[in-house]
Amino acid sequence: MNILLIGSGGRENAIAWKLVQSPKCDKLFIAPGNAGSQRFGINLPVSGTDFDGLKNAVLQNDIRMLVVGPEDPLVKGVRDFFETDAELKHVMVIGPGKAGAMLEGSKDFSKKFMFRNSVPTARYATFDASTIQDGYNFLETLKAPYVLKADGLAAGKGVLIIQNLEEAKRELHAMLVDSKFGNASSTVVIEEFLKGIELSVFVLTNGKQYVILPEAKDYKRIGEGDTGPNTGGMGAVSPVPFADETFMQKVETRIVKPTIDGLHKEGIPYTGFVFIGLMNVDGEPFVIEYNARMGDPETEVVVPRIKNDLVQLFEDTANLRLDQVRLDISTETALTVILASKGYPGDIEKGKTIHGLETCSDSLVFHAGTSEREGAIITSGGRVLAITSMAPSIEEAQKKSMACANAISFEGKYFRKDIGDDLKGVV
Ligand code: AMP
Ligand code: GLY
């Protein structure tokens, strides 16, 4: 069958790489893709939120499966658009509808959902401009650091963690009254700070059945030793050594199962990924957030460990056959390192020529922010490439990714050299 994949990042490069390995995939199209996705399929100059453009692409190319990478099209209702259009409703869509995507699209909705379904998460309260005084009072009942979250989508920037009470109050005012994050912060969730180690768990579900995919650890800060501003993610590792069987059992019974049951009970249809951001607090898992998609760069380490045919897995998801699926997961460690542009996550310069891409035979080089100019591959975003290596140990996987990261060059190249360091020797 022909498949259309929405997205243009490293996550979609990894999904595309995997989809085309399936004998079930005839032609793969990527909308809009990047320079690297052309290795796996045909790029279409259509944005993921241009639903009419997607419809044309589907009809012209006899597409039977739509795989949605990023959150924007999901929150805007791409699935609902397909389901309610007579010419599109035969297309299998991997990604939840608008109602399900609210798990990511509204922090207040997702916190309420967790409390209704007894999913462990931090204590919280929600405020808008008319209740800002209550917000100040609530902050006074909490201990530092203070966690303020814009309710809506804010391109990964809507969470503030603040040490000082007065500053937290000022930021609450900036979010609610001065629209610091535009409309996204007209409602703000304030929650208790959870102290622990973060990891992400990924679930593929049809709202009734589910499979738990490999977990991963993301490295969010720009600087080595987890310092400096937050980014989309500078690297990732899977598996995560401290996510042992006992811990993952708790994750399944306390979090995954009540989440899927909750969706079912509340009549929220859901076909696609649930990305559960977790905090391991002294061995106990708490949910920090849900996302309605896979993570980036987590996908670049999760997908290479899955040995199953991904197209088959998506079909089994959509056709309610997940109970018959046995996941076959590589026991090797996958480690990815992001090569970023100078200045990221702030202002960056684009258009730098990338050299040495062909030298990395021991690693998978997924493109994130790249495009083509006169036959050369150039940088076109903050995160440029994700270099994934597989090996029996974290040390070896890191060594391979470092060798490749050093072999590739472009002006202003920056990467963290400590991805996975904190997990070495951890059991
Ligand atoms: P989110 O966008 O909700 O994932 O939040 C971004 C980051 O803020 C998370 O990855 C955590 O590192 C941090 N964070 C969010 N909520 C909390 C919390 N309640 N306690 C501690 N850290 C948090
Ligand atoms: N790496 C975090 C995310 O995809 O949201």
Side-chain angles (χ1 to χ4, degrees), residues 264-374:
H264 187 57
K265 239 179 13 219
E266 298 189 11
I268 303 172
Y270 202 107
T271 296
F273 295 102
V274 187
F275 161 162
I276 309 176
L278 293 175
M279 193 69 87
N280 174 351
V281 183
D282 299 325
E284 309 302 325
F286 288 81
V287 176
I288 293 180
E289 62 163 352
Y290 291 118
N291 293 308
R293 53 173 173 87
M294 286 295 290
D296 192 354
E298 292 94 329
T299 305
E300 290 94 303
V301 291
V302 169
V303 163
R305 291 189 60 219
I306 301 173
K307 294 186 186 168
N308 303 60
D309 177 325
L310 191 58
V311 179
Q312 179 72 53
L313 196 53
F314 285 163
E315 277 188 331
D316 289 341
T317 305
N319 295 331
L320 300 180
R321 284 198 309 258
L322 273 182
D323 55 334
Q324 289 157 42
V325 167
R326 238 200 87 252
L327 280 183
D328 188 6
I329 304 298
S330 163
T331 56
E332 289 203 314
T333 291
L335 183 146
T336 200
V337 174
I338 297 290
L339 303 193
S341 298
K342 186 175 162 197
Y344 179 72
D347 293 337
I348 53 141
E349 279 178 41
K350 302 178 185 178
K352 311 294 181 194
T353 304
I354 305 172
H355 302 279
L357 282 167
E358 64 299 333
T359 53
C360 293
S361 51
D362 265 0
S363 302
L364 297 161
V365 181
F366 297 121
H367 290 220
T370 67
S371 56
E372 228 183 71
R373 187 178 58 200
E374 293 158 13

